[in-house]
Amino acid sequence: MDASLVGRQEEIARVDALLDAARKGQGGALVLRGEPGIGKTSLLRHAERAAGDFLVVRAFGAEFEMELPFAVLHQLCAPLLGDVAALPGPHRKALEIAFGLDTGTPDPFLVGVATLGLLAEASPERPLLCLVDDAQWLDHASARALAFLARRVAGERVALLLSVREPYRLPEFGELPALELKRLSELDARALLAAAIRAPLDERVRDRILAEARGNPLALLELPRSAGLAGMAGGFALPPSVPGVIEQSFRARLELLSPQARLLLT
Ligand SMILES: Nc1ncnc2c1ncn2[C@@H]1O[C@H](COP(=O)(O)OP(=O)(O)OP(=O)(O)O)[C@@H](O)[C@H]1O
Ligand SMILES: [Mg+2]
């Protein structure tokens, strides 16, 4: 059990079950969904800690690489590319084309099959855990390849754990098992706040932080910082009503709207 994650027992159990099944050769995938700061990356870190007996490969989506086909798949497979030579010729060639080591047009099906072969053979002794954070910024080709893999690892010792920041949606992952990370309960939010702030906290300030953060762990941790601990201990300073962290999350949501919808909101 991961003591550093407050109120996530069920989510941790779900991730641990994914790992247990993969150990037994019943591979699977899980997509973690949730708003900014809700704890997706933290749960990925938990998985990594819990998978001490796995070979772990990681990748993360980046907004500025979204236009680069196979960028994230390349990141994920990079540590395994030494084994490409063992793949059947067409599979090897498909991956080499996808990763820019050969010329030609990549065949998505062959790339998918080749990646599955690469992952399945990567570690004969140990199960394999693939972690993909910030999948909302996956390039389309990688998203498609990962969805292909996720649907075919059932007989392998492979677990795929992905995170997607809401409100983004990836149509490629629509059918995959998903876990929605909800806001923390009032009780858990209080516990997180108490653990984060050791100094005495004025009750009014605490209630205001809890109300503003609405169970978002990042907001619970950041709001006291933005308010300034010294003032809070004496109850003089209340946190700003629209903290940067919340503002940032709303800005991210606004960016997804059409220009007309934004104009309407303005
Ligand atoms: N259940 C929790 N208990 C304690 N701390 C938590 C919990 N969940 C998240 N945190 C802390 O909150 C902060 C934000 O969490 P995290 O980075 O995992 O969010 P995220 O969902 O990945 O956000 P983003 O969409 O911005 O990537 C981190 O400092 C993390 O340690
Ligand atoms: Mg994250």
Side-chain angles (χ1 to χ4, degrees), residues 22-50:
R23 282 186 185 101
K24 294 182 202 138
Q26 296 155 9
L30 183 62
V31 180
L32 306 176
R33 307 188 42 83
E35 65 184 27
I38 202 72
K40 302 177 294 297
T41 301
S42 305
L43 213 50
L44 255 57
R45 284 206 200 101
H46 160 79
E48 189 159 10
R49 283 194 294 272

PDB file of all heavy atoms in Angstrom, residues 22-50:
ATOM      1  N   ALA A  22      -0.651  -9.225 -15.161  1.00  0.00           N
ATOM      2  CA  ALA A  22       0.448  -9.277 -16.135  1.00  0.00           C
ATOM      3  C   ALA A  22       1.522 -10.270 -15.693  1.00  0.00           C
ATOM      4  O   ALA A  22       2.105 -10.985 -16.514  1.00  0.00           O
ATOM      5  CB  ALA A  22       1.045  -7.886 -16.331  1.00  0.00           C
ATOM      6  N   ARG A  23       1.755 -10.313 -14.385  1.00  0.00           N
ATOM      7  CA  ARG A  23       2.738 -11.288 -13.866  1.00  0.00           C
ATOM      8  C   ARG A  23       2.352 -12.711 -14.237  1.00  0.00           C
ATOM      9  O   ARG A  23       3.198 -13.557 -14.466  1.00  0.00           O
ATOM     10  CB  ARG A  23       2.808 -11.192 -12.329  1.00  0.00           C
ATOM     11  CG  ARG A  23       3.601 -10.016 -11.828  1.00  0.00           C
ATOM     12  CD  ARG A  23       3.764 -10.067 -10.310  1.00  0.00           C
ATOM     13  NE  ARG A  23       4.420  -8.854  -9.867  1.00  0.00           N
ATOM     14  CZ  ARG A  23       3.779  -7.820  -9.315  1.00  0.00           C
ATOM     15  NH1 ARG A  23       2.486  -7.863  -9.097  1.00  0.00           N
ATOM     16  NH2 ARG A  23       4.455  -6.745  -8.978  1.00  0.00           N
ATOM     17  N   LYS A  24       1.023 -12.934 -14.280  1.00  0.00           N
ATOM     18  CA  LYS A  24       0.539 -14.296 -14.564  1.00  0.00           C
ATOM     19  C   LYS A  24       0.345 -14.542 -16.051  1.00  0.00           C
ATOM     20  O   LYS A  24      -0.270 -15.534 -16.445  1.00  0.00           O
ATOM     21  CB  LYS A  24      -0.809 -14.507 -13.869  1.00  0.00           C
ATOM     22  CG  LYS A  24      -0.719 -14.489 -12.368  1.00  0.00           C
ATOM     23  CD  LYS A  24      -2.113 -14.750 -11.791  1.00  0.00           C
ATOM     24  CE  LYS A  24      -2.236 -14.247 -10.374  1.00  0.00           C
ATOM     25  NZ  LYS A  24      -3.520 -13.562 -10.124  1.00  0.00           N
ATOM     26  N   GLY A  25       0.761 -13.583 -16.870  1.00  0.00           N
ATOM     27  CA  GLY A  25       0.611 -13.779 -18.310  1.00  0.00           C
ATOM     28  C   GLY A  25      -0.730 -13.312 -18.839  1.00  0.00           C
ATOM     29  O   GLY A  25      -1.090 -13.599 -19.975  1.00  0.00           O
ATOM     30  N   GLN A  26      -1.495 -12.598 -17.982  1.00  0.00           N
ATOM     31  CA  GLN A  26      -2.771 -12.057 -18.452  1.00  0.00           C
ATOM     32  C   GLN A  26      -2.617 -10.545 -18.592  1.00  0.00           C
ATOM     33  O   GLN A  26      -3.027  -9.772 -17.717  1.00  0.00           O
ATOM     34  CB  GLN A  26      -3.892 -12.381 -17.461  1.00  0.00           C
ATOM     35  CG  GLN A  26      -4.148 -13.867 -17.337  1.00  0.00           C
ATOM     36  CD  GLN A  26      -4.773 -14.252 -16.000  1.00  0.00           C
ATOM     37  OE1 GLN A  26      -5.168 -13.401 -15.220  1.00  0.00           O
ATOM     38  NE2 GLN A  26      -4.838 -15.538 -15.743  1.00  0.00           N
ATOM     39  N   GLY A  27      -1.955 -10.155 -19.680  1.00  0.00           N
ATOM     40  CA  GLY A  27      -1.655  -8.740 -19.880  1.00  0.00           C
ATOM     41  C   GLY A  27      -2.909  -7.915 -20.044  1.00  0.00           C
ATOM     42  O   GLY A  27      -3.997  -8.434 -20.306  1.00  0.00           O
ATOM     43  N   GLY A  28      -2.755  -6.603 -19.876  1.00  0.00           N
ATOM     44  CA  GLY A  28      -3.910  -5.715 -20.021  1.00  0.00           C
ATOM     45  C   GLY A  28      -3.486  -4.269 -20.042  1.00  0.00           C
ATOM     46  O   GLY A  28      -2.292  -3.943 -19.909  1.00  0.00           O
ATOM     47  N   ALA A  29      -4.489  -3.416 -20.235  1.00  0.00           N
ATOM     48  CA  ALA A  29      -4.235  -1.978 -20.296  1.00  0.00           C
ATOM     49  C   ALA A  29      -5.221  -1.261 -19.403  1.00  0.00           C
ATOM     50  O   ALA A  29      -6.320  -1.757 -19.134  1.00  0.00           O
ATOM     51  CB  ALA A  29      -4.386  -1.481 -21.732  1.00  0.00           C
ATOM     52  N   LEU A  30      -4.807  -0.090 -18.932  1.00  0.00           N
ATOM     53  CA  LEU A  30      -5.698   0.746 -18.131  1.00  0.00           C
ATOM     54  C   LEU A  30      -5.384   2.204 -18.450  1.00  0.00           C
ATOM     55  O   LEU A  30      -4.218   2.602 -18.470  1.00  0.00           O
ATOM     56  CB  LEU A  30      -5.470   0.455 -16.638  1.00  0.00           C
ATOM     57  CG  LEU A  30      -6.382   1.195 -15.660  1.00  0.00           C
ATOM     58  CD1 LEU A  30      -7.854   0.814 -15.867  1.00  0.00           C
ATOM     59  CD2 LEU A  30      -5.981   0.879 -14.205  1.00  0.00           C
ATOM     60  N   VAL A  31      -6.465   2.949 -18.712  1.00  0.00           N
ATOM     61  CA  VAL A  31      -6.300   4.379 -19.001  1.00  0.00           C
ATOM     62  C   VAL A  31      -6.775   5.172 -17.784  1.00  0.00           C
ATOM     63  O   VAL A  31      -7.940   5.070 -17.393  1.00  0.00           O
ATOM     64  CB  VAL A  31      -7.131   4.797 -20.234  1.00  0.00           C
ATOM     65  CG1 VAL A  31      -6.943   6.282 -20.516  1.00  0.00           C
ATOM     66  CG2 VAL A  31      -6.753   3.967 -21.447  1.00  0.00           C
ATOM     67  N   LEU A  32      -5.870   5.939 -17.177  1.00  0.00           N
ATOM     68  CA  LEU A  32      -6.248   6.805 -16.059  1.00  0.00           C
ATOM     69  C   LEU A  32      -6.702   8.138 -16.624  1.00  0.00           C
ATOM     70  O   LEU A  32      -6.000   8.737 -17.435  1.00  0.00           O
ATOM     71  CB  LEU A  32      -5.052   7.035 -15.122  1.00  0.00           C
ATOM     72  CG  LEU A  32      -4.357   5.787 -14.589  1.00  0.00           C
ATOM     73  CD1 LEU A  32      -3.140   6.187 -13.761  1.00  0.00           C
ATOM     74  CD2 LEU A  32      -5.328   4.979 -13.735  1.00  0.00           C
ATOM     75  N   ARG A  33      -7.875   8.573 -16.201  1.00  0.00           N
ATOM     76  CA  ARG A  33      -8.398   9.834 -16.701  1.00  0.00           C
ATOM     77  C   ARG A  33      -8.626  10.773 -15.532  1.00  0.00           C
ATOM     78  O   ARG A  33      -8.932  10.330 -14.427  1.00  0.00           O
ATOM     79  CB  ARG A  33      -9.741   9.630 -17.420  1.00  0.00           C
ATOM     80  CG  ARG A  33      -9.742   8.573 -18.511  1.00  0.00           C
ATOM     81  CD  ARG A  33     -11.059   8.608 -19.270  1.00  0.00           C
ATOM     82  NE  ARG A  33     -11.469   9.976 -19.509  1.00  0.00           N
ATOM     83  CZ  ARG A  33     -11.024  10.740 -20.510  1.00  0.00           C
ATOM     84  NH1 ARG A  33     -10.183  10.233 -21.378  1.00  0.00           N
ATOM     85  NH2 ARG A  33     -11.399  11.980 -20.636  1.00  0.00           N
ATOM     86  N   GLY A  34      -8.515  12.071 -15.770  1.00  0.00           N
ATOM     87  CA  GLY A  34      -8.829  13.011 -14.693  1.00  0.00           C
ATOM     88  C   GLY A  34      -8.283  14.387 -14.971  1.00  0.00           C
ATOM     89  O   GLY A  34      -7.400  14.574 -15.813  1.00  0.00           O
ATOM     90  N   GLU A  35      -8.829  15.345 -14.233  1.00  0.00           N
ATOM     91  CA  GLU A  35      -8.471  16.749 -14.444  1.00  0.00           C
ATOM     92  C   GLU A  35      -7.011  17.020 -14.025  1.00  0.00           C
ATOM     93  O   GLU A  35      -6.403  16.193 -13.335  1.00  0.00           O
ATOM     94  CB  GLU A  35      -9.424  17.642 -13.643  1.00  0.00           C
ATOM     95  CG  GLU A  35      -9.288  17.443 -12.140  1.00  0.00           C
ATOM     96  CD  GLU A  35     -10.311  18.268 -11.353  1.00  0.00           C
ATOM     97  OE1 GLU A  35     -11.386  18.569 -11.877  1.00  0.00           O
ATOM     98  OE2 GLU A  35     -10.004  18.590 -10.200  1.00  0.00           O
ATOM     99  N   PRO A  36      -6.461  18.164 -14.402  1.00  0.00           N
ATOM    100  CA  PRO A  36      -5.089  18.506 -14.010  1.00  0.00           C
ATOM    101  C   PRO A  36      -4.936  18.455 -12.490  1.00  0.00           C
ATOM    102  O   PRO A  36      -5.827  18.907 -11.764  1.00  0.00           O
ATOM    103  CB  PRO A  36      -4.915  19.947 -14.517  1.00  0.00           C
ATOM    104  CG  PRO A  36      -5.925  20.112 -15.597  1.00  0.00           C
ATOM    105  CD  PRO A  36      -7.081  19.217 -15.245  1.00  0.00           C
ATOM    106  N   GLY A  37      -3.831  17.881 -12.040  1.00  0.00           N
ATOM    107  CA  GLY A  37      -3.513  17.886 -10.610  1.00  0.00           C
ATOM    108  C   GLY A  37      -4.255  16.865  -9.781  1.00  0.00           C
ATOM    109  O   GLY A  37      -4.117  16.831  -8.553  1.00  0.00           O
ATOM    110  N   ILE A  38      -5.015  15.973 -10.419  1.00  0.00           N
ATOM    111  CA  ILE A  38      -5.867  15.043  -9.660  1.00  0.00           C
ATOM    112  C   ILE A  38      -5.080  13.825  -9.166  1.00  0.00           C
ATOM    113  O   ILE A  38      -5.530  13.102  -8.281  1.00  0.00           O
ATOM    114  CB  ILE A  38      -7.082  14.609 -10.530  1.00  0.00           C
ATOM    115  CG1 ILE A  38      -8.229  14.103  -9.654  1.00  0.00           C
ATOM    116  CG2 ILE A  38      -6.697  13.572 -11.558  1.00  0.00           C
ATOM    117  CD1 ILE A  38      -8.936  15.166  -8.879  1.00  0.00           C
ATOM    118  N   GLY A  39      -3.887  13.582  -9.771  1.00  0.00           N
ATOM    119  CA  GLY A  39      -3.052  12.494  -9.262  1.00  0.00           C
ATOM    120  C   GLY A  39      -2.732  11.383 -10.255  1.00  0.00           C
ATOM    121  O   GLY A  39      -2.350  10.286  -9.858  1.00  0.00           O
ATOM    122  N   LYS A  40      -2.839  11.669 -11.547  1.00  0.00           N
ATOM    123  CA  LYS A  40      -2.570  10.636 -12.555  1.00  0.00           C
ATOM    124  C   LYS A  40      -1.092  10.239 -12.557  1.00  0.00           C
ATOM    125  O   LYS A  40      -0.758   9.057 -12.489  1.00  0.00           O
ATOM    126  CB  LYS A  40      -2.979  11.139 -13.962  1.00  0.00           C
ATOM    127  CG  LYS A  40      -4.446  11.542 -14.045  1.00  0.00           C
ATOM    128  CD  LYS A  40      -4.809  12.087 -15.409  1.00  0.00           C
ATOM    129  CE  LYS A  40      -4.130  13.392 -15.767  1.00  0.00           C
ATOM    130  NZ  LYS A  40      -4.483  14.526 -14.895  1.00  0.00           N
ATOM    131  N   THR A  41      -0.212  11.244 -12.641  1.00  0.00           N
ATOM    132  CA  THR A  41       1.223  10.945 -12.658  1.00  0.00           C
ATOM    133  C   THR A  41       1.629  10.255 -11.350  1.00  0.00           C
ATOM    134  O   THR A  41       2.449   9.337 -11.351  1.00  0.00           O
ATOM    135  CB  THR A  41       2.037  12.239 -12.864  1.00  0.00           C
ATOM    136  OG1 THR A  41       1.645  12.823 -14.103  1.00  0.00           O
ATOM    137  CG2 THR A  41       3.530  11.965 -12.898  1.00  0.00           C
ATOM    138  N   SER A  42       1.014  10.670 -10.257  1.00  0.00           N
ATOM    139  CA  SER A  42       1.333  10.050  -8.961  1.00  0.00           C
ATOM    140  C   SER A  42       0.993   8.566  -8.974  1.00  0.00           C
ATOM    141  O   SER A  42       1.737   7.746  -8.427  1.00  0.00           O
ATOM    142  CB  SER A  42       0.546  10.732  -7.834  1.00  0.00           C
ATOM    143  OG  SER A  42       0.783  12.107  -7.842  1.00  0.00           O
ATOM    144  N   LEU A  43      -0.115   8.222  -9.609  1.00  0.00           N
ATOM    145  CA  LEU A  43      -0.514   6.815  -9.670  1.00  0.00           C
ATOM    146  C   LEU A  43       0.409   6.021 -10.603  1.00  0.00           C
ATOM    147  O   LEU A  43       0.720   4.858 -10.344  1.00  0.00           O
ATOM    148  CB  LEU A  43      -1.974   6.726 -10.140  1.00  0.00           C
ATOM    149  CG  LEU A  43      -2.800   5.573  -9.577  1.00  0.00           C
ATOM    150  CD1 LEU A  43      -2.697   5.462  -8.068  1.00  0.00           C
ATOM    151  CD2 LEU A  43      -4.260   5.719  -9.988  1.00  0.00           C
ATOM    152  N   LEU A  44       0.872   6.672 -11.659  1.00  0.00           N
ATOM    153  CA  LEU A  44       1.866   6.039 -12.525  1.00  0.00           C
ATOM    154  C   LEU A  44       3.146   5.760 -11.727  1.00  0.00           C
ATOM    155  O   LEU A  44       3.764   4.704 -11.874  1.00  0.00           O
ATOM    156  CB  LEU A  44       2.180   6.948 -13.718  1.00  0.00           C
ATOM    157  CG  LEU A  44       1.595   6.573 -15.080  1.00  0.00           C
ATOM    158  CD1 LEU A  44       0.083   6.470 -15.041  1.00  0.00           C
ATOM    159  CD2 LEU A  44       2.007   7.558 -16.154  1.00  0.00           C
ATOM    160  N   ARG A  45       3.494   6.723 -10.885  1.00  0.00           N
ATOM    161  CA  ARG A  45       4.704   6.515 -10.053  1.00  0.00           C
ATOM    162  C   ARG A  45       4.495   5.363  -9.085  1.00  0.00           C
ATOM    163  O   ARG A  45       5.400   4.571  -8.827  1.00  0.00           O
ATOM    164  CB  ARG A  45       5.023   7.798  -9.271  1.00  0.00           C
ATOM    165  CG  ARG A  45       5.644   8.832 -10.147  1.00  0.00           C
ATOM    166  CD  ARG A  45       6.526   9.796  -9.345  1.00  0.00           C
ATOM    167  NE  ARG A  45       6.693  10.985 -10.145  1.00  0.00           N
ATOM    168  CZ  ARG A  45       6.024  12.114  -9.955  1.00  0.00           C
ATOM    169  NH1 ARG A  45       5.207  12.243  -8.933  1.00  0.00           N
ATOM    170  NH2 ARG A  45       6.198  13.146 -10.746  1.00  0.00           N
ATOM    171  N   HIS A  46       3.288   5.277  -8.538  1.00  0.00           N
ATOM    172  CA  HIS A  46       2.995   4.148  -7.652  1.00  0.00           C
ATOM    173  C   HIS A  46       3.207   2.835  -8.407  1.00  0.00           C
ATOM    174  O   HIS A  46       3.815   1.895  -7.882  1.00  0.00           O
ATOM    175  CB  HIS A  46       1.562   4.206  -7.103  1.00  0.00           C
ATOM    176  CG  HIS A  46       1.106   2.867  -6.609  1.00  0.00           C
ATOM    177  ND1 HIS A  46       1.489   2.373  -5.381  1.00  0.00           N
ATOM    178  CD2 HIS A  46       0.405   1.864  -7.226  1.00  0.00           C
ATOM    179  CE1 HIS A  46       1.014   1.139  -5.246  1.00  0.00           C
ATOM    180  NE2 HIS A  46       0.359   0.818  -6.351  1.00  0.00           N
ATOM    181  N   ALA A  47       2.674   2.791  -9.649  1.00  0.00           N
ATOM    182  CA  ALA A  47       2.792   1.561 -10.443  1.00  0.00           C
ATOM    183  C   ALA A  47       4.262   1.195 -10.623  1.00  0.00           C
ATOM    184  O   ALA A  47       4.650   0.031 -10.483  1.00  0.00           O
ATOM    185  CB  ALA A  47       2.127   1.755 -11.803  1.00  0.00           C
ATOM    186  N   GLU A  48       5.056   2.201 -10.890  1.00  0.00           N
ATOM    187  CA  GLU A  48       6.481   1.953 -11.111  1.00  0.00           C
ATOM    188  C   GLU A  48       7.140   1.378  -9.842  1.00  0.00           C
ATOM    189  O   GLU A  48       7.934   0.444  -9.913  1.00  0.00           O
ATOM    190  CB  GLU A  48       7.161   3.256 -11.528  1.00  0.00           C
ATOM    191  CG  GLU A  48       8.571   3.040 -11.968  1.00  0.00           C
ATOM    192  CD  GLU A  48       9.089   4.172 -12.831  1.00  0.00           C
ATOM    193  OE1 GLU A  48       8.413   5.217 -12.936  1.00  0.00           O
ATOM    194  OE2 GLU A  48      10.181   4.002 -13.380  1.00  0.00           O
ATOM    195  N   ARG A  49       6.754   1.948  -8.699  1.00  0.00           N
ATOM    196  CA  ARG A  49       7.313   1.443  -7.432  1.00  0.00           C
ATOM    197  C   ARG A  49       6.844   0.019  -7.168  1.00  0.00           C
ATOM    198  O   ARG A  49       7.603  -0.811  -6.665  1.00  0.00           O
ATOM    199  CB  ARG A  49       6.886   2.353  -6.268  1.00  0.00           C
ATOM    200  CG  ARG A  49       7.657   3.657  -6.185  1.00  0.00           C
ATOM    201  CD  ARG A  49       7.423   4.332  -4.840  1.00  0.00           C
ATOM    202  NE  ARG A  49       6.042   4.758  -4.672  1.00  0.00           N
ATOM    203  CZ  ARG A  49       5.562   5.932  -5.064  1.00  0.00           C
ATOM    204  NH1 ARG A  49       6.361   6.802  -5.654  1.00  0.00           N
ATOM    205  NH2 ARG A  49       4.310   6.259  -4.855  1.00  0.00           N
ATOM    206  N   ALA A  50       5.566  -0.236  -7.498  1.00  0.00           N
ATOM    207  CA  ALA A  50       4.998  -1.563  -7.207  1.00  0.00           C
ATOM    208  C   ALA A  50       5.499  -2.619  -8.184  1.00  0.00           C
ATOM    209  O   ALA A  50       5.308  -3.810  -7.960  1.00  0.00           O
ATOM    210  CB  ALA A  50       3.470  -1.491  -7.258  1.00  0.00           C
TER     211      ALA A  50
END
